[in-house]
């Protein structure tokens, strides 16, 4: 049942794409923003505790509600609910569309338009990026978000069903909103950032392995082992290194965040990522999703 729901949810996403109106995650994000404004005054030594309490309120209540709902369902009704949950928590088509929104103007020679589009995908300053830097940033974002926005959610869905998928998606959304090392969020967002790291660890490892399996296996594994631990994040480096190695390109390097230059590690092996590699990165994520569906269906048939 889980594997069939996973397949149906991905098919709905493929043919319909991300819901433009009344998306549950939009409502969740709005509620989280309002709660943070009330519960996070500046310069508060109790910020970590209040951040944890707010995280629990935002994440655990929807998980409990979904657990109660699925416990009362069976058969076709349960299948439909599970498939819809997969559809709402996974953004495979949306990720591909965002990547192509950058690659198409980049290939057409419209660098300003490409910069505008990549600004919607990354937090770094994009106004002065070169064509190669735009391509690299897009490939990095596609590979990393493939893990965060797709495969981690599928992992927790396969493990714990719809409540698991909602647990992960809620935690990941709060990390994206609160998990910054700024004065405002350093304490309040500490729990959101740490919990997301924990929930992402095993899915990120599996995603890195999967990227290697559907791409250049030896290069993917080698780059993940040698370069994955070079980032502050315990998970993102392994995913990007494996993906870059699987594609046979290099990405990463210096980037400017909020006006400050940071020297980031170089991921992968081979020539620097170019505009044409964005589509290859999208293809790697799509092929990995097929692999995961095949594995899930295989387990379902055998068990």
């Amino acid at each position: 049942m889980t594997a069939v729901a996973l397949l149906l949810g991905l098919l709905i996403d493929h043919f319909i794409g991300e819901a433009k109106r009344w998306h549950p995650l939009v409502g969740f994000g709005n509620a989280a923003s309002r709660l943070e404004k009330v519960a996070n005054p500046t310069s508060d030594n109790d910020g970590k505790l209040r951040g944890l309490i707010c995280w629990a309120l935002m994440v655990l209540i929807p998980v409990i509600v979904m657990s109660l709902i699925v416990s009362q369902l069976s058969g076709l009704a349960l299948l439909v609910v599970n498939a819809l949950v997969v559809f709402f928590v996974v953004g495979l088509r949306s990720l591909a569309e965002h990547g192509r929104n950058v690659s198409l103007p980049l290939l057409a020679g419209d660098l300003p338009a490409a910069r505008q589009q990549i600004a919607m995908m990354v937090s770094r300053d994009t106004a002065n990026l070169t064509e190669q830097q735009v391509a690299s940033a897009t490939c990095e974002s596609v590979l990393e978000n493939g893990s965060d926005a797709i495969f981690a959610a599928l992992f927790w869905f396969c493990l714990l069903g719809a409540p698991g998928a909602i647990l992960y998606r809620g935690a990941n959304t709060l990390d994206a909103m609160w998990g910054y090392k700024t004065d405002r969020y350093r304490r309040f967002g500490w729990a959101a950032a740490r919990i997301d790291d924990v929930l992402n660890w095993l899915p990120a490892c599996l995603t890195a392995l999967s990227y290697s399996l559907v791409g250049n296996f030896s290069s993917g594994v080698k780059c993940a082992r040698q370069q994955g631990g070079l980032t502050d994040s315990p998970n993102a480096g392994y995913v990007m290194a494996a993906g870059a190695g699987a594609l046979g390109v290099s990405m990463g390097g210096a980037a400017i965040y909020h006006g400050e230059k940071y020297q980031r590690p170089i991921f992968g092996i081979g020539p620097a990522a170019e505009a044409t590699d964005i589509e290859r990165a999208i293809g790697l994520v799509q092929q990995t999703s097929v692999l995961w569906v095949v594995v899930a269906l295989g387990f379902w048939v055998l068990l």
Side-chain angles (χ1 to χ4, degrees):
M1 177 71 76
T2 298
V4 176
L6 187 154
L7 175 60
L8 289 177
L10 290 178
L11 287 174
I12 295 172
D13 174 73
H14 175 75
F15 288 108
I16 296 179
E18 188 175 69
K20 303 301 181 183
R21 301 176 62 185
W22 303 304
H23 197 294
L25 286 178
V26 175
F28 179 88
N30 291 336
S33 179
R34 289 193 293 268
L35 179 62
E36 185 270 334
K37 290 178 181 178
V38 173
N40 186 30
T42 59
S43 302
D44 193 328
N45 291 330
D46 295 326
K48 285 186 178 181
L49 177 59
R50 287 181 298 98
L52 177 60
I53 292 172
C54 289
W55 183 95
L57 288 173
M58 288 301 306
V59 176
L60 297 185
I61 291 177
V63 169
I64 292 171
V65 171
M66 180 53 66
S67 297
L68 293 173
I69 291 174
V70 298
S71 68
Q72 302 300 313
L73 300 176
S74 61
L76 181 60
L78 180 59
L79 177 63
V80 170
V81 168
N82 281 332
L84 288 175
V85 168
V86 171
F87 166 62
F88 282 120
V89 301
V90 171
L92 180 58
R93 175 170 166 173
S94 175
L95 180 61
E97 289 173 348
H98 282 298
R100 290 176 181 134
N101 285 343
V102 180
S103 67
L104 291 177
L106 201 60
L107 289 169
D110 191 349
L111 182 56
R115 287 170 175 163
Q116 290 181 343
Q117 291 297 325
I118 188 57
M120 301 178 187
M121 300 179 66
V122 300
S123 58
R124 73 191 68 176
D125 298 344
T126 62
N128 297 308
L129 293 182
T130 66
E131 179 179 335
Q132 189 279 317
Q133 289 172 326
V134 170
S136 178
T138 307
C139 289
E140 292 172 46
S141 181
V142 167
L143 295 173
E144 184 177 3
N145 280 292
S147 178
D148 290 351
I150 299 171
F151 302 117
L154 294 182
F155 171 86
W156 286 104
F157 174 76
C158 291
L159 190 66
L160 299 176
I166 290 176
L167 168 68
Y168 171 76
R169 176 51 66 212
N172 185 249
T173 301
L174 292 185
D175 173 57
M177 296 180 67
W178 300 348
Y180 296 100
K181 294 181 180 180
T182 61
D183 291 340
R184 181 180 182 89
Y185 293 108
R186 182 172 285 106
R187 297 182 67 83
F188 184 84
W190 178 86
R194 297 290 79 74
I195 293 171
D196 183 70
D197 286 342
V198 172
L199 293 178
N200 256 315
W201 180 75
L202 185 52
C205 293
L206 293 174
T207 301
L209 175 61
S210 300
Y211 284 167
S212 301
L213 287 171
V214 300
N216 186 314
F217 180 77
S218 60
S219 293
V221 171
K222 180 180 179 180
C223 290
R225 293 179 61 184
Q226 294 181 349
Q227 304 163 357
L230 299 178
T231 62
D232 292 335
S233 168
N235 304 315
Y238 291 95
V239 171
M240 289 188 288
L247 292 171
V249 298
S250 298
M251 57 188 71
I256 298 176
Y257 295 86
H258 309 294
E260 296 186 22
K261 186 175 182 179
Y262 291 86
Q263 187 60 47
R264 302 158 61 251
I266 300 294
F267 299 112
I269 187 172
E274 299 178 351
T276 54
D277 294 312
I278 296 174
E279 188 63 37
R280 295 179 62 228
I282 294 170
L284 192 73
V285 173
Q286 292 174 332
Q287 292 163 28
T288 298
S289 69
V290 173
L291 173 65
W292 279 48
V293 169
V294 170
V295 171
L297 290 173
F299 274 105
W300 178 60
V301 170
L302 293 175
L303 298 179

